[in-house]
Amino acid sequence: MYALLGATTDIDDKLRAAREEIEKLKMLITQKTEGLNNRILAAVAQDLSKTGTYNQADAAKNGLFKLQPPAAFRLRRKLPGHFGKIYALHWASNSEDIVSASQDGKLLVWNTASTNKKVAIPLRTSWVMTCAYSPSRTFVASGGLDNLCSVFNIKDSVGWEVKQPHRELQQHEGYLSSCRFVDDNRILTASGDATC
């Protein structure tokens, strides 16, 4: 319509002027912020070059910290048994047992001291994202992209495989991202539908 009225040159001029103004503002922002991005890193690097260690007062002031003593991680046990990526694990209250959830569609309950598998639970779906151990170590739970929280009773299991869930909780409309037992009768779940 502007072309019919002969106003295209006016719009082109305004567009060109706006683009020039944008470029000027970008350069002004670059000039104002130049050197500010590395201020904390530069201060830490300068401190390290002087003393060879972190100055704790300066580090605390800058929001940085150093582990005292430095973390020394080492491999304690290998627990081979899953045939896919492990998506989640949770320690039991006795600090000896673990439940792990994997892409292979299984929940495995392990004794970490002996490295033995105690219970294997085949899941309905391999799209599991979370698992949890109850405080009394009677139940384990899992959830994922099936929008269900499946609770399994592992104390009353016959053999080492649990076939059926004790309960399936289905209130979420989105995937389960996390679940944790409050006690043996209550479990807290978090979902992609933004509810708990």
Side-chain angles (χ1 to χ4, degrees), residues 3-179:
L4 296 175
L5 300 174
T8 56
T9 57
D10 186 40
I11 291 175
D12 290 340
D13 291 340
K14 287 181 180 178
L15 181 62
R16 192 176 307 106
R19 286 186 176 152
E20 288 173 5
E21 182 70 21
I22 289 170
E23 291 304 316
K24 286 179 188 175
L25 290 172
K26 283 181 184 178
M27 287 184 358
L28 184 63
I29 289 170
T30 303
Q31 289 171 355
K32 293 279 186 184
T33 60
E34 192 159 322
L36 295 178
N37 294 340
N38 296 330
R39 182 173 288 166
I40 292 175
L41 181 59
V44 171
Q46 184 180 13
D47 187 31
L48 281 173
S49 67
K50 288 179 185 173
T51 63
T53 61
Y54 282 99
N55 180 328
Q56 290 183 349
D58 288 343
K61 182 174 58 178
N62 292 330
L64 302 172
F65 65 93
K66 183 178 181 182
L67 294 176
Q68 293 291 340
F73 297 109
R74 66 183 177 102
L75 180 65
R76 305 288 178 159
R77 303 272 192 284
K78 281 189 180 181
L79 304 173
H82 281 296
F83 297 109
K85 292 178 183 173
I86 296 171
Y87 286 132
L89 69 84
H90 190 235
W91 284 90
S93 57
N94 68 351
S95 298
E96 193 172 285
D97 294 340
I98 291 178
V99 61
S100 59
S102 172
Q103 185 181 26
D104 62 8
K106 288 208 182 302
L107 278 181
L108 293 179
V109 178
W110 307 82
N111 180 301
T112 58
S114 67
T115 69
N116 291 334
K117 293 182 231 64
K118 294 170 71 174
V119 178
I121 303 169
L123 301 172
R124 292 184 182 196
T125 179
S126 63
W127 299 104
V128 63
M129 296 177 71
T130 184
C131 61
Y133 223 128
S134 71
S136 70
R137 302 188 332 261
T138 304
F139 301 103
V140 294
S142 72
L145 297 182
D146 58 355
N147 304 353
L148 293 173
C149 179
S150 302
V151 180
F152 299 90
N153 185 337
I154 58 172
K155 284 290 184 196
D156 296 337
S157 65
V158 177
W160 79 291
E161 195 166 282
V162 176
K163 300 262 188 226
Q164 295 295 320
H166 179 67
R167 296 278 187 271
E168 283 189 331
L169 310 172
Q170 41 181 305
Q171 286 295 314
H172 289 293
E173 295 176 9
Y175 63 90
L176 253 71
S177 59
S178 182
C179 65

